[in-house]
Amino acid sequence: MSAVSELKISNPIKGPGLKAPGVVILQFLLILLFETLEYAFTKVGIFTGIAILVAFAGGLYLGRRGTAFTAVVTPPLAFLFSTLILIASIGGAGLSISHVGLDLVSMLGAAAPFLVIGAAISWIYYLLKGRKK
């Protein structure tokens, strides 16, 4: 056997896992952190997209039994809210509706492939897992 096949990633959370609020906070903070770092230098792109995919996977992996629905639904909402926060604060839009709308559409468009791929895979996982019960 090779060393790669013997490598097992242990769960960093001791016990049954994160409850639904923990999954929401974990996903929101991960997406907000990477989106803030990327938005400070450029616009939203690949790093935020990877963070969204990791948020989907991390929520499913680290959550307790029964938190899969929360882990699937939260990342798009967390991305939306973190985008609105960043546009109003770092983006300098303030309460300008036209500027917020334009930036929101461009940022959602940049992250759309990652949101669609992550959501599709996560929903398939959720539905297949629920079907086995």
Side-chain angles (χ1 to χ4, degrees):
M1 291 191 145
S2 67
V4 175
S5 64
E6 294 178 11
L7 180 66
K8 179 165 171 104
I9 299 173
S10 64
N11 193 339
I13 298 187
K14 305 302 180 212
L18 294 174
K19 293 181 181 179
V23 171
V24 170
I25 291 171
L26 172 80
Q27 290 176 328
F28 177 74
L29 291 178
L30 179 71
I31 291 170
L32 180 65
L33 173 71
F34 278 91
E35 189 177 6
T36 302
L37 291 175
E38 194 168 22
Y39 190 72
F41 298 109
T42 62
K43 292 290 182 180
V44 173
I46 187 106
F47 296 114
T48 302
I50 292 172
I52 290 169
L53 294 176
V54 169
F56 275 115
L60 289 171
Y61 180 68
L62 296 174
R64 289 183 181 195
R65 174 182 280 173
T67 60
F69 181 77
T70 304
V72 170
V73 172
T74 301
L77 296 173
F79 178 71
L80 174 68
F81 289 127
S82 66
T83 300
L84 290 173
I85 291 169
L86 290 176
I87 290 170
S89 61
I90 295 175
L95 296 175
S96 172
I97 301 299
S98 61
H99 188 82
V100 169
L102 182 63
D103 277 354
L104 182 63
V105 169
S106 67
M107 292 172 96
L108 287 174
F114 301 102
L115 288 168
V116 169
I117 290 169
I121 292 171
S122 297
W123 275 109
I124 290 169
Y125 174 82
Y126 172 75
L127 294 173
L128 291 177
K129 187 176 178 184
R131 189 176 195 185
K132 290 180 183 177
K133 289 183 181 179

